[in-house]
Amino acid sequence: MTKTAAVVFADGCEEIEGLTVVDVLRRMGVKCDIVGVLGSEIHGAHQIDFKADKLISDQLLDYDIVAFPGGYGNAQTLRDNDQLMAIMQKRQSLGKWCAAMCAAPIALARYGLLDGHDYTCYPGIEKETQQLAPNGHFKEELTVTDQAGHLVTSRGPATAWAYAFAIAEALGLDTKTIKQDTLYDYLKENI
């Protein structure tokens, strides 16, 4: 059965953080949709414009994982969207995977999804996440996968590949071949 993923974008997103996830998952045969929050035209933080495949709706409940890229403008839009909050809370209650990186864990914090769970985020953003989710457990790691909370989180633009692979692994996919094919292993050994 084909795995499914949705990456949710709003204006001001960190393009590399979201599009890397889309790219890696599609390479691995995952049906991965780009989902817009406020419309189908998305304007990234670095003047990269692209189109959403879909808009947010209750269909997000059907995906195996829903991932949020960072970018502070994007993260604020995701954080403040009550429709998205209700969907993501329902996903967690159903034991479905959620992911967020960079500044986007502030959305998960507002939604109550970090309470009692391990996570990471962009340096300095943990102050806001800790205010919104004082019972969350901040970690200074490239990526954090909290099995109990069905959460994957990561730090920032340079960790986008690690984040994408952690998402694939959360879906039960073997990332060994793609790490070799994309030279990720080579980079890890030589940087």
Side-chain angles (χ1 to χ4, degrees):
M1 187 164 148
T2 302
K3 298 289 185 180
T4 60
V7 182
V8 181
F9 291 89
D11 290 350
C13 63
E14 280 283 356
E15 301 95 337
I16 194 170
E17 296 173 0
L19 295 176
T20 299
V21 173
V22 173
D23 180 279
V24 166
L25 294 179
R26 287 182 180 178
R27 285 175 192 247
M28 297 188 74
V30 174
K31 183 185 180 317
C32 185
D33 291 326
I34 295 171
V35 177
V37 176
L38 301 176
S40 61
E41 299 286 331
I42 300 163
H43 308 288
H46 303 97
Q47 293 76 52
I48 299 173
D49 297 336
F50 51 100
K51 292 185 184 290
D53 302 311
K54 298 180 177 186
L55 299 178
I56 60 167
S57 72
D58 286 345
Q59 286 182 334
L60 287 177
L61 295 170
D62 300 330
Y63 290 90
D64 294 311
I65 194 162
V66 172
F68 295 171
Y72 198 65
N74 183 70
Q76 289 176 312
T77 300
L78 301 176
R79 178 196 64 202
D80 297 340
N81 189 292
D82 291 338
Q83 177 189 11
L84 189 56
M85 178 171 65
I87 292 167
M88 298 304 283
Q89 289 170 336
K90 176 107 185 210
R91 285 185 57 78
Q92 191 177 54
S93 74
L94 296 170
K96 295 200 167 206
W97 284 94
C98 302
M101 75 173 297
C102 193
I106 64 172
L108 301 185
R110 178 180 176 246
Y111 304 168
L113 305 187
L114 298 182
D115 290 339
H117 298 294
D118 294 342
Y119 71 94
T120 194
C121 59
Y122 192 79
I125 294 295
E126 75 276 4
K127 293 177 180 104
E128 187 171 349
T129 58
Q130 289 167 344
Q131 288 174 347
L132 294 166
N135 297 323
H137 311 290
F138 173 73
K139 307 289 182 190
E140 288 187 8
E141 298 171 24
L142 291 180
T143 63
V144 174
T145 299
D146 186 299
Q147 293 286 338
H150 294 94
L151 297 169
V152 177
T153 51
S154 190
R155 303 292 311 250
T159 68
W161 281 92
Y163 177 61
F165 294 136
I167 288 170
E169 290 161 2
L171 292 174
L173 302 173
D174 183 352
T175 59
K176 183 178 179 185
T177 300
I178 193 167
K179 285 178 179 177
Q180 291 172 346
D181 291 350
T182 60
L183 300 181
Y184 180 78
D185 287 341
Y186 176 79
L187 175 67
K188 222 168 117 178
E189 292 170 11
N190 290 286
I191 196 164

